[in-house]
Amino acid sequence: MTTIGIIGAGHIGSQLARAFTRLGDEVVIANSRGPETLAGLIEELGPTARAATADEAAAAGEVVVVTVPLSAYREVPVEPLEGKIVLDTNNYYWERDGHIPALDSGEATTSGLLQEHLAGAKVVKAFNHIMAAEITTAGTPAGTPGRRALGTASDFPEAISYVTDLYDRLGFDTVSVGPLSESWRLERDRPAYVTRQDAAQLRDNLAAAFRVRPEDAA
């Protein structure tokens, strides 16, 4: 049993909590409104899950998921995540987050910003280009023809290995795009985003991705 800290209990965070508990892991989950507001989710998840503050979830997790709005990434605790694998599910929605010039210009990536904030952690992109409900419903056994594939990226091989194993346990193949500097290929509005694709199709979509849309660069 691995203890997973989850910071953020929205659609993705809640669905990942369900996924991890079904795999037999322990979950410590936090949101911005306080542990008491998660009582219903914890009742659903069962005895291997508990609600906590963000600091507590970060400290308790052997592996930690960060799934907060991008505008709040600087509020993620830093010290408790030193040396830990941190799964980043985020996407940039300027309509929600406000414009971030380094992302608008293609000079940065969402996961790269989190890695800068969590300099001592091992950030890895995961679960950002699949609809939340499909995390627990779209997986199939290894070797299934046309098995869905999900992408990942990290500057740390051990983090990519962890996500690859996790994806497989949940029923997905994995395609790595390499370091976080390439993780933009998995981000919003690119060909691979929230599209059902097998590994070969995902590789093609990643190769076809554009860093900045012509209308954005104009």
Side-chain angles (χ1 to χ4, degrees), residues 68-78 100 113-114 116-118:
V68 299
L70 185 62
S71 58
Y73 81 90
R74 292 186 181 89
E75 300 171 18
V76 174
V78 175
I100 299 174
L113 292 177
L114 184 63
E116 289 178 11
H117 175 64
L118 302 175

Side-chain angles (χ1 to χ4, degrees), residues 79-153:
E79 187 175 350
L81 298 178
E82 261 318 295
K84 296 181 180 180
I85 292 174
V86 175
L87 278 61
D88 172 40
T89 75
N90 222 323
N91 288 295
Y92 173 41
Y93 294 95
W94 58 263
E95 306 92 333
R96 174 197 66 188
D97 303 314
H99 278 287
I100 299 174
L103 295 177
D104 291 337
S105 65
E107 296 173 21
T109 67
T110 56
S111 293
L113 292 177
L114 184 63
Q115 182 68 80
E116 289 178 11
H117 175 64
L118 302 175
K122 302 171 183 179
V123 173
V124 57
K125 197 73 175 176
F127 297 106
N128 77 297
H129 69 118
I130 181 173
M131 299 296 291
E134 295 175 335
I135 293 170
T136 57
T137 60
T140 55
T144 301
R147 190 190 200 203
R148 188 166 181 173
L150 298 177
T152 188

Side-chain angles (χ1 to χ4, degrees), residues 21-210:
T21 54
R22 292 175 190 178
L23 291 174
D25 291 327
E26 183 179 62
V27 166
V28 182
I29 187 168
N31 66 6
S32 61
R33 295 177 295 142
E36 66 280 358
T37 65
L38 294 170
L41 177 63
I42 298 304
E43 182 179 3
E44 174 195 340
L45 294 174
T48 60
R50 64 182 175 91
T53 65
D55 284 322
E56 290 167 343
E62 298 168 73
V63 172
V64 176
V65 178
V66 171
T67 180
V68 299
L70 185 62
S71 58
Y73 81 90
R74 292 186 181 89
E75 300 171 18
V76 174
V78 175
E79 187 175 350
L81 298 178
E82 261 318 295
K84 296 181 180 180
I85 292 174
V86 175
L87 278 61
D88 172 40
T89 75
N90 222 323
N91 288 295
Y92 173 41
Y93 294 95
W94 58 263
E95 306 92 333
R96 174 197 66 188
D97 303 314
H99 278 287
I100 299 174
L103 295 177
D104 291 337
S105 65
E107 296 173 21
T109 67
T110 56
S111 293
L113 292 177
L114 184 63
Q115 182 68 80
E116 289 178 11
H117 175 64
L118 302 175
K122 302 171 183 179
V123 173
V124 57
K125 197 73 175 176
F127 297 106
N128 77 297
H129 69 118
I130 181 173
M131 299 296 291
E134 295 175 335
I135 293 170
T136 57
T137 60
T140 55
T144 301
R147 190 190 200 203
R148 188 166 181 173
L150 298 177
T152 188
S154 180
D155 297 337
F156 300 91
E158 60 269 39
I160 290 177
S161 294
Y162 176 83
V163 169
T164 299
D165 177 67
L166 176 60
Y167 280 170
D168 185 56
R169 292 167 69 201
L170 292 173
F172 304 99
D173 286 339
T174 303
V175 175
S176 171
V177 300
L180 290 182
S181 60
E182 291 295 310
S183 62
W184 60 271
R185 296 180 183 275
L186 293 162
E187 292 178 354
R188 176 194 178 189
D189 295 332
R190 273 72 177 193
Y193 188 67
V194 293
T195 297
R196 198 207 180 287
Q197 55 215 312
D198 63 21
Q201 292 166 332
L202 177 52
R203 291 187 187 96
D204 287 343
N205 284 333
L206 293 169
F210 41 82

